[in-house]
DNA sequence: ATAACTGCAAAACATTTGCATACAG
DNA sequence: CTGTATGCAAATGTTTTGCAGTTAT
């Protein structure tokens, strides 16, 4: 999740990418869309659409839930946001520009999410592409289980 | 998905496992629960809860949607059924006893799902367990992209 | 007998949609 | 000006829940 050293520079970059994308697609550059983008990049870690909506509301921005969902979708299309489906719950989002690709480790007891990378996944993906004559655009890998942290709610269970 | 050679033997086995699980947990062995189990193991490939419900109804079994959901959860607890969340859609289930573990390849154009195995995932999982001091119980890996089949709806797109 | 299970319908939940209004181009 | 984007609230679709009645043990 490590945010870059120069958040205002990052913000300028992503704003420009978004602007270019909207120009190219003939979409309107509304203040609401930029407000969503900024709130996304002000985020630490994962968040869901409603959290983002509430945060925007608290700051006085007048964006509707519908616009939040709509804009998150646009940001996903230009790869500024990634969406993850952990279990059956609501989708989680995260800023994705300038972050290296990673997968997720989820504790079933405390719900905490960690990130990890493993280059071997690239190899797996490549082999599958060849064997199945398939073009892989993205993947989703989550490992579920039990963390062993002191403060994890279920730590004491024998299992 | 390849069903074993002796479906009636398989069915006897899974029925016994389910029975033992219910006995151990002091759950009632109702005809509805067995009906769900049998319909699950009569399935080819993935299905969703409502599909299963409708199939049961068509066969004259009188089970409610609630019981289908409840029973699928029980079957999951004793590892007779696996549940997958492909994208944001409704959960998909599949019989899991006697099938080797596998992951999924999903075409974004036609929705078709394939299965694949790669032993390297086991290594990835093991490394993560060590590095993060975490006990992994299960994982979920989906590769998304475009299949190159003749009859795939979006086959002609340049992308 | 009695507590757990069932069916049904209503509730819950995240997300999408329809429509009248606002505003970017 | 024009059509696209917006806010709101209602609709959607899947899963869960509450409750009165049923049934396995």
């Amino acid at each position: 999740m490590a945010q870059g050293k120069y958040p205002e520079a990052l913000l300028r970059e992503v704003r420009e990418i978004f602007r270019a994308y909207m120009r190219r697609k003939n979409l309107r550059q509304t203040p609401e869309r930029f407000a969503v983008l900024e709130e996304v990049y002000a985020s630490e870690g994962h968040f869901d659409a409603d959290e983002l909506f509430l945060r925007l509301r608290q700051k006085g921005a007048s964006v509707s839930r519908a616009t939040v969902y709509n804009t998150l979708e646009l940001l996903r299309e230009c790869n500024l946001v990634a969406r993850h489906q952990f279990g059956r719950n609501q989708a989680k989002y995260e800023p994705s520009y300038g972050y290296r690709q990673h997968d997720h480790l989820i504790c079933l007891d405390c719900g905490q999410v960690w990130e990890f990378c493993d280059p071997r996944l690239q190899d797996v993906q490549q082999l599958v592409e060849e064997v199945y004559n398939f073009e892989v655009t993205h993947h989703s890998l989550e490992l579920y289980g039990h963390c062993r942290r002191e403060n994890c709610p279920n730590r004491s269970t024998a299992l």
Side-chain angles (χ1 to χ4, degrees), chain A residues 13-144:
Chain A
E13 274 185 74
V14 294
R15 225 166 1 217
E16 193 44 51
I17 291 169
F18 195 27
R19 211 187 296 279
Y21 179 75
M22 291 190 282
R23 209 174 300 136
R24 184 160 63 79
K25 291 268 191 169
N26 283 313
L27 301 171
R28 290 190 182 169
Q29 304 185 27
T30 67
E32 290 84 0
R33 285 174 174 173
F34 284 107
V36 171
L37 175 66
E38 307 211 351
E39 197 55 44
V40 165
Y41 274 82
S43 303
E44 303 271 330
H46 305 94
F47 55 88
D48 61 58
D50 212 57
E51 256 171 73
L52 200 76
F53 166 72
L54 293 173
R55 265 159 51 196
L56 282 160
R57 274 294 161 101
Q58 278 180 341
K59 293 190 177 178
S62 80
V63 284
S64 65
R65 239 175 279 261
T67 298
V68 168
Y69 277 103
N70 163 38
T71 307
L72 284 171
E73 190 52 31
L74 291 183
L75 292 171
R76 224 161 68 85
E77 284 166 18
C78 55
N79 292 309
L80 291 175
V81 160
R83 185 179 65 198
H84 306 288
Q85 197 77 41
F86 298 146
R88 67 197 132 182
N89 305 120
Q90 85 263 53
K92 294 284 184 186
Y93 298 84
E94 63 181 340
S96 63
Y97 181 76
Y99 300 111
R100 73 194 194 300
Q101 100 89 44
H102 57 259
D103 295 289
H104 298 95
L105 185 58
I106 299 144
C107 177
L108 296 168
D109 303 318
C110 63
Q112 182 96 19
V113 177
W114 290 268
E115 299 175 357
F116 70 92
C117 291
D118 194 308
R120 283 172 290 196
L121 286 167
Q122 201 53 47
D123 305 335
V124 171
Q125 189 163 312
Q126 201 174 321
L127 185 69
V128 170
E129 286 194 304
E130 286 164 21
V131 171
Y132 288 82
N133 188 28
F134 196 98
E135 180 204 353
V136 175
T137 56
H138 64 286
H139 75 258
S140 154
L141 170 61
E142 290 91 43
L143 306 186
Y144 296 92

